[in-house]
């Protein structure tokens, strides 16, 4: 059969009322089906053109005009037939479900694959879904500030490209997924500090429970290039860093809750020191060592509510060793820093915008300060 402009209200009932998919309006239908005892038989197909479709995933809504193809194939070893639906959007937009008029992302060639065993009437009961898109345009990265801890860490500008490959359950919840983001000309505020540069983020998440939004961070890598710290001086090459989060967990909400242990390779320790003070605030021997070569660091991270915490940070290169802890809450940083070069050591306490140097007994002072995060 061919049926132009057929109403699509029947699809919700046919697919078992998938609550996260919206199909409405009319579309051109072409079908070649065989029925036995009221059930579609293997070899049956249904194709729809120009379907107005929306998909709600993680409080966001994908929408656009799509083509949809349904196929029924034989089950393995004589088992129940498999029903598969492939949806393709040539162009799509994404925005927050709570703000329907807002567009965060525009892309092309989104694919949504739906598969289930058993008759079509039970399609939603055993559904497995996969949603994929690549290199979608993000005109303004500030749209992601709703996931960040307010004045403690926020995006001030920049644009980018985003990609995603997500596995979904019957309720549209993400079972696991990989998400990537490339940002250019990104400006970031960490409390009172301002940084700019290019960012590449690659994350892999896996749900910890059968339902809900608690995820294990199987991999999270961040690359920073061309970074400059405002007020850090214009001399020297731009800063770079490669970061990875290990043993991490994430609660998907607004804002994110994320914690884990991280490791960093970086051009030098200049930006790390710059989060505490301008270079002129440190003793002269510190200033001479800031740019003294590639450094490695480890530490713990937690983002919760409007708070960003770095704790047990240890960084070193061939000449200098650093230890630090920093909490930015409500945009205000507080923390402790210890630096050592040979026999020379110093500490810096940052609190309420005031800095206090500790030179005599700096090691003992730093060790006496409390940790910010539990072991």
């Amino acid at each position: 059969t061919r049926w132009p402009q057929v109403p699509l209200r029947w699809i919700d009932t046919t697919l078992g009322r998938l609550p996260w998919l919206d199909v409405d309006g009319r579309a051109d239908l072409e079908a070649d089906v065989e029925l036995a005892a009221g059930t579609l038989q293997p070899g049956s197909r249904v194709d729809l053109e120009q379907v107005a479709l929306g998909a709600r995933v993680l409080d966001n809504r994908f929408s656009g005009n799509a083509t949809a193809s349904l196929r029924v194939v034989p089950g393995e070893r004589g088992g129940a037939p498999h029903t598969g639906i492939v949806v393709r959007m040539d162009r799509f937009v994404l925005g927050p479900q709570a703000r329907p008029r807002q567009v965060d992302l525009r892309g092309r060639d989104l694919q949504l694959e739906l598969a289930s065993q058993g008759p079509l009437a039970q399609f939603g009961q055993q559904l497995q879904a996969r949603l994929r898109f690549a290199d979608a345009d993000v005109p303004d990265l500030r749209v992601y500030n709703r996931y960040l801890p307010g004045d403690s860490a926020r995006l001030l500008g920049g644009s980018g490209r985003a990609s995603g490959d997500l596995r979904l359950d019957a309720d549209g919840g993400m079972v696991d997924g990989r998400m990537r983001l490339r940002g250019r000309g990104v400006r970031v505020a960490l409390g009172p500090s301002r940084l700019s540069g290019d960012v590449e983020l690659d994350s892999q998440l896996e749900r910890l429970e059968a339902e809900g939004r608690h995820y294990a961070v199987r991999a999270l890598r961040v690359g920073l290039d061309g970074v400059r710290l405002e007020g850090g001086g214009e001399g020297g090459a731009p800063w770079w860093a490669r970061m990875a989060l290990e043993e991490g967990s994430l609660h998907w909400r607004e804002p994110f809750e994320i914690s884990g242990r991280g490791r960093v390779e970086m051009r030098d320790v200049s930006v790390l020191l710059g989060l505490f003070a301008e270079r002129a605030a440190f003793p002269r021997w510190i200033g001479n060592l800031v740019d003294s070569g590639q450094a490695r660091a480890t530490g713990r991270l937690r983002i919760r509510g409007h708070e960003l915490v770095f704790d047990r940070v240890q960084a070193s290169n061939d000449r200098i060793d650093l230890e630090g802890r920093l909490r930015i809450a409500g945009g205000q940083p507080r923390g402790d820093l210890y630096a050592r070069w040979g026999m020379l050591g110093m500490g810096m306490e940052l609190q309420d915008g005031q800095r206090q140097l500790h030179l005599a007994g700096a090691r003992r002072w730093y060790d006496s300060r409390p940790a910010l995060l539990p072991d």
Side-chain angles (χ1 to χ4, degrees), residues 146-277:
R146 64 183 185 272
Y147 296 118
L148 300 179
D151 291 336
S152 297
R154 67 189 187 278
L155 292 158
L156 302 176
S159 59
R161 296 274 176 176
S163 303
D165 187 348
L166 316 178
R167 280 200 315 125
L168 310 173
D169 60 21
D171 295 321
M174 187 177 74
V175 178
D176 57 51
R178 181 180 183 185
M179 286 164 279
R180 289 166 289 167
L181 176 68
R182 292 180 288 119
R184 296 294 179 262
V186 182
R187 296 185 63 239
V188 180
L190 294 177
S193 301
R194 303 290 185 269
L195 299 92
S196 61
D198 298 334
V199 179
E200 292 202 15
L201 181 149
D202 190 346
S203 65
Q204 296 181 44
L205 306 177
E206 182 179 344
R207 194 162 62 186
L208 288 170
E209 303 166 348
E211 297 179 355
R213 296 189 178 185
H214 285 91
Y215 295 91
V217 180
R218 296 306 181 199
L220 193 154
R221 296 178 177 84
V222 180
L224 304 175
D225 288 287
V227 176
R228 295 197 181 274
L229 178 67
E230 294 183 12
E234 297 299 326
W239 192 76
W240 60 262
R242 301 291 179 266
M243 308 178 184
L245 187 69
E246 302 170 342
E247 301 174 4
S249 64
L250 181 146
H251 185 192
W252 193 293
R253 55 186 300 177
E254 299 181 14
F256 278 152
E257 290 188 10
I258 186 169
S259 63
R261 181 169 58 87
R263 52 183 172 83
V264 185
E265 292 187 4
M266 48 191 163
R267 177 180 177 267
D268 52 48
V269 297
S270 60
V271 170
L272 182 60
L273 285 171
L275 295 177
F276 282 84

Side-chain angles (χ1 to χ4, degrees), residues 68-342:
S69 301
L70 179 148
R71 299 290 185 270
V72 181
V73 299
E76 298 179 0
R77 300 179 181 178
H82 292 202
T83 303
I85 300 175
V86 176
V87 177
R88 290 186 172 87
M89 292 184 187
D90 181 52
R91 298 176 185 271
F92 70 95
V93 297
L94 176 143
Q97 185 178 336
R99 295 177 287 279
R101 296 178 180 271
Q102 180 175 319
V103 175
D104 293 353
L105 179 152
R106 299 179 184 272
R108 305 195 63 168
D109 194 25
L110 179 143
Q111 297 188 39
L112 176 61
E113 301 170 4
L114 310 170
S116 181
Q117 297 183 9
L120 187 59
Q122 300 174 10
F123 187 80
Q125 298 178 16
Q126 302 184 57
L127 176 68
Q128 294 181 338
R130 184 181 184 188
L131 185 149
R132 292 178 288 169
F133 63 93
D135 285 330
D137 180 44
V138 185
D140 188 346
L141 289 171
R142 290 178 296 176
V143 298
Y144 292 120
N145 277 333
R146 64 183 185 272
Y147 296 118
L148 300 179
D151 291 336
S152 297
R154 67 189 187 278
L155 292 158
L156 302 176
S159 59
R161 296 274 176 176
S163 303
D165 187 348
L166 316 178
R167 280 200 315 125
L168 310 173
D169 60 21
D171 295 321
M174 187 177 74
V175 178
D176 57 51
R178 181 180 183 185
M179 286 164 279
R180 289 166 289 167
L181 176 68
R182 292 180 288 119
R184 296 294 179 262
V186 182
R187 296 185 63 239
V188 180
L190 294 177
S193 301
R194 303 290 185 269
L195 299 92
S196 61
D198 298 334
V199 179
E200 292 202 15
L201 181 149
D202 190 346
S203 65
Q204 296 181 44
L205 306 177
E206 182 179 344
R207 194 162 62 186
L208 288 170
E209 303 166 348
E211 297 179 355
R213 296 189 178 185
H214 285 91
Y215 295 91
V217 180
R218 296 306 181 199
L220 193 154
R221 296 178 177 84
V222 180
L224 304 175
D225 288 287
V227 176
R228 295 197 181 274
L229 178 67
E230 294 183 12
E234 297 299 326
W239 192 76
W240 60 262
R242 301 291 179 266
M243 308 178 184
L245 187 69
E246 302 170 342
E247 301 174 4
S249 64
L250 181 146
H251 185 192
W252 193 293
R253 55 186 300 177
E254 299 181 14
F256 278 152
E257 290 188 10
I258 186 169
S259 63
R261 181 169 58 87
R263 52 183 172 83
V264 185
E265 292 187 4
M266 48 191 163
R267 177 180 177 267
D268 52 48
V269 297
S270 60
V271 170
L272 182 60
L273 285 171
L275 295 177
F276 282 84
E278 295 181 1
R279 188 174 303 193
F282 293 99
R284 181 174 298 178
W285 62 269
I286 287 284
N288 294 335
L289 296 173
V290 164
D291 304 318
S292 59
Q294 184 171 329
R296 293 179 174 84
T298 61
R300 296 197 64 83
L301 165 72
R302 186 181 73 189
I303 298 174
R304 187 171 67 182
H306 294 285
E307 179 185 75
L308 171 65
V309 179
F310 302 100
D311 197 13
R312 296 179 177 83
V313 176
Q314 295 183 325
S316 62
N317 59 21
D318 292 338
R319 303 181 68 187
I320 191 171
D321 295 308
L322 292 176
E323 297 181 40
R325 55 180 72 93
L326 182 67
R327 170 185 280 121
I328 308 175
Q332 296 299 315
R334 301 178 65 176
D336 307 315
L337 178 72
Y338 173 74
R340 181 179 63 83
W341 174 44

